[in-house]
Amino acid sequence: MTSRTDGHALAGLAALLADPTRAGFCLALLDGRAWTAGELARSAGVAPSTASDHLTRLVRGGLLAEERQGRHRYVRLADPSVAQLVEDLAGRAPAPATPPRTLRAASAQASLAYARTCYDHVAGRLGVLLHDALLARGVLDRAGGLAVTPAGIAWLTDLGVPVEPLRAARRPLVRDCLDWTERRPHLAGALGAALCRRFLDLGWTARGTGRALRLTPAGRPALAAALALDPADLAPPARDTGPARA
Amino acid sequence: MTSRTDGHALAGLAALLADPTRAGFCLALLDGRAWTAGELARSAGVAPSTASDHLTRLVRGGLLAEERQGRHRYVRLADPSVAQLVEDLAGRAPAPATPPRTLRAASAQASLAYARTCYDHVAGRLGVLLHDALLARGVLDRAGGLAVTPAGIAWLTDLGVPVEPLRAARRPLVRDCLDWTERRPHLAGALGAALCRRFLDLGWTARGTGRALRLTPAGRPALAAALALDPADLAPPARDTGPARA
DNA sequence: CGCACACGTCGGTGGGTACCGAACGATTCA
DNA sequence: TGAATCGTTCGGTACCCACCGACGTGTGCG
């Protein structure tokens, strides 16, 4: 046969994600933070020894990066491109069709659907609203593919997000990411990450449980003003009752 | 735990690509054409019964689409997004480090590195040249993310590639695709596919063995003129000696 | 200094699955 | 109508690997 990229290499990489436990690890790590081996083991419901084995394989395969601190082993996704890969796969995978069983779970799910991080950018209903508002305000444009307009560069700089430094990154400046609750695109890429970070820095948003995000009381009017939206459009759903995991 | 996208769904999808034989099928199908079950079986070196089993799983999993014609079962990648997924995975997978053993293989590989299709768009050195030339000519622009310029829309229309109809597609108009021989981006997305098709229609390029592509004698000066390039820059490598597969 | 904790390593077990050969339907051609 | 080809179904075998429990190592705290 012609010399082609060997199927073994591709299969080996895919095999890393072909186990429910390892896949669960990667989904959990989509919150963009570093987890310890024990946290992941508990989250997946497996023995610590099993989790340790899985993490070693994921790190050797280049999907995860690890950092040892004392007796803890912190792992995180190796790269934004890994996060994109996991997101793309998860977006294509059939919906698990797991209706929430308890009130707590329902509330947590509503909170997740409203706003969450997708590795390092804003997703959920808030993410889609942000995406749409940026288009409406002319910060982004879709005429010839998703791009930032000259006026948008000024607007972003004014907000405290200089665009020039973002070009240095190896990843695309702007990119679509299909939202798996809204089934509509939201903004990813280097700019999506920078905006998410900026909102946190400004105190407009704050991290909740897991990858949940919430709009702060101060953030709601501020964001509405910046995006020329009605604050009512940014109303959150049911109460996020607070922390859960051990 | 919190209700999250179940790891089982992701793992099930990844498992489809986690087998060397199935992965090889998908890589072969990256040429964008439909293959019969028997061709794929021979190409992978497995029994027809084994291949049949694998194909059924890939179709059920939504990665492949099938079409029965008489006693033949034709399969192809279900969707451009599947091709993108496979490309992304293959690009991240470690290089198989398989130096060509025979002269035939070396020649075929050089031909592939020069020009090939990446599912439905132009890749290889020609793909990168095309990408760079489109940027240099101002058809594409990267100032705020990869996009087509207004001048570019006119240029493309003049070439016989109207841009408006391409917006109707569900996929992005323009997209970067990392070339695994050149390690540099080339143009993918709906426009990349349309350009590849147009070049074939114009007779500027022709399909070779597998996913190989070659620039025709008429195509070389025509493409050079359209892109304002020196025809010498488009010189192909060693001879492509012809068909190989049974 | 010694207990508690986090993690890694090492057999052993069980379930999942890739593979083949052989027999069987279906289609096409002579 | 018979023969060749393409594909599928069906056992059966061998192999891989996810999982656990138990034990060992290093860290941090009292």
Side-chain angles (χ1 to χ4, degrees), chain A residues 136-208:
Chain A
R137 268 199 77 99
V139 174
L140 299 178
D141 186 86
R142 284 202 171 279
L146 188 63
V148 184
T149 64
I153 292 178
W155 184 89
L156 287 163
T157 305
D158 199 47
L159 186 68
V161 181
V163 176
E164 288 311 320
L166 299 179
R167 280 192 223 292
R170 199 83 58 85
R171 57 201 296 212
L173 180 64
V174 288
R175 180 175 72 77
D176 278 324
C177 182
L178 186 63
D179 199 285
W180 46 268
T181 52
E182 300 287 319
R183 295 284 159 190
R184 296 194 35 219
H186 60 247
L187 178 67
L191 180 60
L195 273 175
C196 182
R197 221 179 309 121
R198 182 62 177 152
F199 291 159
L200 285 167
D201 286 347
L202 288 169
W204 290 5
T205 58
R207 287 197 178 267

Side-chain angles (χ1 to χ4, degrees), chain A residues 16 47 64 66 71 74 135 236 241:
Chain A
L16 291 177
L64 263 47
E66 74 179 0
R71 55 182 171 183
Y74 284 96
L135 277 172
T241 48

Side-chain angles (χ1 to χ4, degrees), chain A residues 3 81 92 109 143-144 147-148 167, chain B residues 3 81 92 109 143-144 147-148 167:
Chain A
S3 79
S81 73
R92 167 166 290 275
Q109 178 162 311
V148 184
R167 280 192 223 292
Chain B
S3 79
S81 73
R92 167 166 291 274
Q109 178 163 310
V148 184
R167 281 192 221 292

Side-chain angles (χ1 to χ4, degrees), chain A residues 1-15 17-20 23-24 27-28 42-44 62-63 79 81-82 84-86 88-90 92-96 98 105 108-109 112 142-148 153 163 167 172-174 180 209 211 244-245, chain B residues 1-15 17-20 23-24 27-28 42-44 62-63 79 81-82 84-86 88-90 92-96 98 105 108-109 112 142-148 153 167 173-174 176 180 209 211 244-246:
Chain A
M1 284 299 85
T2 72
S3 79
R4 59 158 201 271
T5 309
D6 197 293
H8 285 78
L10 204 171
L13 178 60
L17 296 170
D19 174 80
L27 288 174
R42 276 191 300 277
S43 139
L63 292 185
D79 200 296
S81 73
V82 175
Q84 179 178 347
L85 204 58
V86 174
D88 288 349
L89 277 164
R92 167 166 290 275
T98 306
Q109 178 162 311
L112 262 188
R142 284 202 171 279
L146 188 63
V148 184
I153 292 178
V163 176
R167 280 192 223 292
L173 180 64
V174 288
W180 46 268
T209 307
R211 77 183 90 165
R245 189 160 23 77
Chain B
M1 286 304 91
T2 72
S3 79
R4 59 157 200 272
T5 308
D6 197 298
H8 285 77
L10 204 171
L13 178 60
L17 296 170
D19 174 80
L27 288 173
R42 277 190 298 277
S43 137
L63 293 185
D79 199 294
S81 73
V82 175
Q84 179 178 347
L85 204 58
V86 174
D88 287 349
L89 276 164
R92 167 166 291 274
T98 306
Q109 178 163 310
L112 263 187
R142 286 203 170 278
L146 187 64
V148 184
I153 292 177
R167 281 192 221 292
L173 180 64
V174 288
D176 278 323
W180 46 267
T209 306
R211 76 183 89 165
R245 188 160 22 77

